[in-house]
Amino acid sequence: MTTFDDRERGYESKFAHDANLRFKADARRNRLLGEWAAGLLGKTGDDARAYALTVVTSDFEEPGYEDVVRKLAADLQGKADESEIRAKMAELTLVARRQIIDEAE
């Protein structure tokens, strides 16, 4: 095997690893976002966890995160507007990434 092949395999492995971490961080962010929204909706305990899971699964409807924003905007009418949801999403993205990185170490 050549050095080029080794390098290519290394890049492919890093790309796959990074994609996996992004997926985990996005799912974690969505769960945290669901827990935040559940609190705004007055849900607690198992109801809050179940609601957070619906937020996580809503992200599988289409590529990107607009499907999550639409779901939360519809569910949180009168409690949080779209800009507040997007701000919370940005905040929780950083939290989720840090948690995933800390767990990987």
Side-chain angles (χ1 to χ4, degrees):
M1 208 175 316
T2 67
T3 302
F4 179 76
D5 291 334
D6 291 340
R7 188 177 306 156
E8 182 179 22
R9 189 165 298 125
Y11 285 129
E12 289 171 355
S13 177
K14 181 178 180 350
F15 179 81
H17 176 73
D18 290 349
N20 186 42
L21 288 179
R22 273 192 307 276
F23 175 79
K24 287 180 180 181
D26 287 349
R28 175 79 53 94
R29 175 207 58 212
N30 292 338
R31 183 181 54 83
L32 294 170
L33 198 57
E35 291 171 354
W36 167 77
L40 292 177
L41 294 169
K43 297 179 184 292
T44 59
D46 289 340
D47 288 339
R49 282 186 286 284
Y51 179 77
L53 184 58
T54 67
V55 174
V56 171
T57 57
S58 73
D59 194 22
F60 301 128
E61 293 175 11
E62 64 186 46
Y65 56 83
E66 289 302 316
D67 41 0
V68 175
V69 173
R70 274 195 308 276
K71 179 195 179 8
L72 290 172
D75 291 351
L76 296 175
Q77 284 184 344
K79 296 182 181 356
D81 62 18
E82 198 171 301
S83 64
E84 188 176 355
I85 293 166
R86 289 180 188 281
K88 193 62 160 176
M89 183 178 269
E91 174 190 331
L92 293 175
T93 296
L94 299 174
V95 171
R97 285 181 181 168
R98 175 55 36 210
Q99 289 177 356
I100 296 297
I101 289 170
D102 289 347
E103 290 171 6
E105 292 178 345

